[in-house]
Amino acid sequence: MENQLYITNTLSRKKELFEPINPPFAGMYVCGPTVYGDPHLGHARPAITFDLVFRYLLHLGYKVRYVRNITDVGHLVADLDEGDDKIAVKARVEQLEPMEIAQFYADRYFIFMDSLNVKRPSIEPRASGHIIEQINMVSQIVEAGYAYIENGSVYFDIEKYSKSYQYGKLSGRILDDLMTNTRVLEGQDEKHHPADFALWKKAQPEHIMRWPSPWSDGFPGWHLECSAMSTKYLGNYFDIHGGGMDLLFPHHESEIAQCQAAIGHESVKYWMHNNMVTIQGQKMGKSLGNFITLEEFFTGSHRLLDQPYSPMTIRFFILQAHYGSTIDFSNDALAAAEKGMKKLLAAYNTLSGMLSQQDGPARPPSPVDKRIPELRQACYAAMNDDFNSPILIANLFEGVRIINSAADKKEVLSLPDLQQMKGIFDTFLFDILGLKDEKGSDQGATVDGLMQLILAIRQKSRETKDWGTSDQIRDTLQKLHIIVKDGKEGSTWGNE
RNA sequence: GGUUUCGUGGCCGAGUGGCUAGGCAGCGGUCUGCAAAACCGUCCACAGCGGUUCGACUCCGCUCGAAACCUCCA
């Protein structure tokens, strides 16, 4: 029980035991970004959430294929030209090729995800590269009788589908409500029913992104790419499909219907949804003028920000909440996250220092502190309980207390104890939570050597009680954002 | 209006029918040349009203409040 992974399945809204369909393989598909704007905090949340899932499944030994798409085509813009394409609209404004825009923002996305230490998925397919697969899927749905063709466009027939299957099972919606509550938009008169959605749209003459198909020159409907690409790379039945909660309806609901209609059965075993990031209690969005890009977070250049926040601070901030909860952004919360994370990393460095000084006075070699295996077990229990990263982090802080107590000589840990503790941090803090120490990486060895020299000189001045020199060194370093800490076994340094 | 998710201490954020979440901030101590850090101790909770129960922050109902989705949006 305690060594088994449970996942909250949106379909059942319950925690279910994770049993992969074809162990030791595991397939996961996550809805990726639409690349028409700079990545913001809202992009970071699902990327980090499913990075955590990816990392943990890998750690458990699964051979994971993680597919995350790039949407570079296919989203309709309802409030502009009907049938237009979001990327094409922006392109026309800026007088650039649509693919140029998509490429630019896809690259930006990759850069910022890398800085957040989000592992690259196994495959990152683009919708524009899978038009044939999408056309094939539309054909399958038409042949199965769950779609109709109007004037070169193809629509999914919700009423027909609902006779055999339940449209709305994922989001809890009822078709009757959809009938009465779906707003009737202009230009939707081709639809037989307001809830029907486009599988293929005929392109207007001025529409730039278009492809030939059996029905018309046009482009695929919004929900199709994920169904086509997930099943192409993961098979007709795969383990996990993830995404933001805002995609539950209609996107994922429609994916279920498309796969059911085209393949004859559903394609996803576990649905996972991360909750939203809010700013001052509201979802961020362009229209609200409150969205903050990742670049603005890293540079501190947005008016709502008191200071820059590093990528790892953002990552830690997100992981400090469970993926199923909303997290509300504030400067106070981010500053607190930053301090907490630094404390965690500092303790790890303390631990490494203790291990590197093992040649010195003998530590008791054998007695193993039972708190340490218990801690490891508690860490696994947290992750197995629906990827509960906040509990995992709380457990690691328990480890921090043990480490610091030992460093303070309040208690003694044996060498195996220290090594085990280090193993826990290596595994959970770095491999699974995916944090990393941001202090200078390339020149790390050089800087460290210089600092050891400076600290040695300062130590001499302290021994002769030359407090002026000692404080001068410390104060000057502080201006360079380097903090010197005087401990019982000499001084150590770290970045502010 | 419908669907879904929530309302926890100064801030963020877990969790549970009776047993300490954790972080940040505050307060008191220990340590220290001073400082920082660290360690120990400590204050501040479970929106409101009913109900079930030996006992509810945790279950049920209602009220109030918030968010997301229902139209592209992570």
Side-chain angles (χ1 to χ4, degrees), chain A residues 41-94:
Chain A
L41 238 205
H43 291 100
R45 171 90 119 143
I48 289 171
T49 295
F50 293 103
D51 186 50
L52 179 71
V53 173
F54 185 33
R55 286 167 177 272
Y56 192 55
L57 292 177
L58 287 172
H59 174 76
L60 291 179
Y62 291 111
K63 301 198 184 316
V64 187
R65 181 178 297 158
Y66 172 22
V67 181
R68 187 182 61 199
N69 66 302
I70 298 285
T71 298
D72 56 357
V73 63
H75 282 254
L76 298 166
V77 178
D79 53 345
L80 292 168
D81 299 327
E82 163 63 18
D84 223 327
D85 184 286
K86 187 178 268 178
I87 287 166
V89 167
K90 178 107 184 189
R92 213 166 301 155
V93 169
E94 301 186 9

Side-chain angles (χ1 to χ4, degrees), chain A residues 145-381:
Chain A
Y146 290 108
Y148 55 89
I149 300 156
E150 286 289 343
N151 191 28
S153 292
V154 185
Y155 293 95
F156 194 91
D157 190 339
I158 296 282
E159 277 180 300
K160 173 91 182 284
Y161 179 82
S162 296
K163 285 176 183 153
S164 310
Y165 309 104
Q166 187 189 349
Y167 184 77
K169 62 191 288 187
L170 185 66
S171 56
R173 271 158 230 260
I174 295 161
L175 189 60
D176 288 345
D177 296 332
L178 291 173
M179 290 188 188
T180 52
N181 288 315
T182 301
R183 190 198 296 182
V184 179
L185 297 168
E186 280 180 42
Q188 291 198 332
D189 42 327
E190 288 174 359
K191 291 185 187 180
H192 294 358
H193 184 282
D196 291 349
F197 57 89
L199 295 170
W200 186 264
K201 279 290 274 186
K202 181 180 178 181
Q204 301 303 311
E206 69 276 15
H207 200 280
I208 305 169
M209 293 186 112
R210 57 167 67 208
W211 292 267
S213 80
W215 312 284
S216 64
D217 272 18
F219 51 93
W222 352 326
H223 312 306
L224 204 59
E225 60 173 287
C226 289
S227 294
M229 295 192 287
S230 62
T231 52
K232 167 166 177 148
Y233 293 113
L234 298 172
N236 284 343
Y237 190 50
F238 59 94
D239 298 294
I240 298 173
H241 189 135
M245 252 181 191
D246 51 341
L247 297 176
L248 253 172
F249 187 90
H251 185 56
H252 291 160
E253 198 71 69
S254 300
E255 278 191 54
I256 289 178
Q258 286 169 346
C259 287
Q260 178 74 60
I263 300 167
H265 57 78
E266 290 181 31
S267 61
V268 176
K269 188 167 182 187
Y270 304 95
W271 283 94
M272 286 181 73
H273 290 92
N274 65 273
N275 216 320
M276 302 288 104
V277 176
T278 57
I279 291 188
Q280 291 161 346
Q282 283 192 309
K283 179 178 178 174
M284 43 180 183
K286 276 184 179 164
S287 53
L288 295 168
N290 66 347
F291 90 54
I292 308 177
T293 65
L294 290 173
E295 185 168 56
E296 287 168 335
F297 271 105
F298 299 164
T299 59
S301 60
H302 193 280
R303 67 181 167 78
L304 290 173
L305 300 175
D306 291 345
Q307 59 164 97
Y309 298 99
S310 73
M312 283 307 105
T313 300
I314 300 291
R315 186 175 177 108
F316 188 74
F317 173 64
I318 287 172
L319 289 171
Q320 257 193 323
H322 188 257
Y323 72 85
S325 307
T326 54
I327 31 181
D328 193 40
F329 156 85
S330 70
N331 281 291
D332 287 347
L334 272 174
E338 182 175 40
K339 291 193 78 166
M341 180 187 65
K342 284 186 172 166
K343 185 173 171 181
L344 219 37
L345 292 171
Y348 178 79
N349 290 334
T350 302
L351 178 61
S352 300
M354 289 164 77
L355 274 166
S356 67
Q357 288 165 12
Q358 276 305 309
D359 317 332
R363 290 179 177 277
S366 58
V368 172
D369 192 320
K370 73 178 187 343
R371 287 177 303 172
I372 295 172
E374 281 171 2
L375 184 63
R376 176 185 292 276
Q377 192 51 47
C379 288
Y380 277 109

Side-chain angles (χ1 to χ4, degrees), chain A residues 72-116:
Chain A
D72 56 357
V73 63
H75 282 254
L76 298 166
V77 178
D79 53 345
L80 292 168
D81 299 327
E82 163 63 18
D84 223 327
D85 184 286
K86 187 178 268 178
I87 287 166
V89 167
K90 178 107 184 189
R92 213 166 301 155
V93 169
E94 301 186 9
Q95 297 295 308
L96 291 167
E97 274 299 316
M99 277 303 164
E100 195 176 357
I101 305 273
Q103 183 71 49
F104 177 78
Y105 285 119
D107 286 347
R108 299 273 292 169
Y109 181 78
F110 293 142
I111 289 167
F112 285 107
M113 291 307 123
D114 284 349
S115 70
L116 287 168

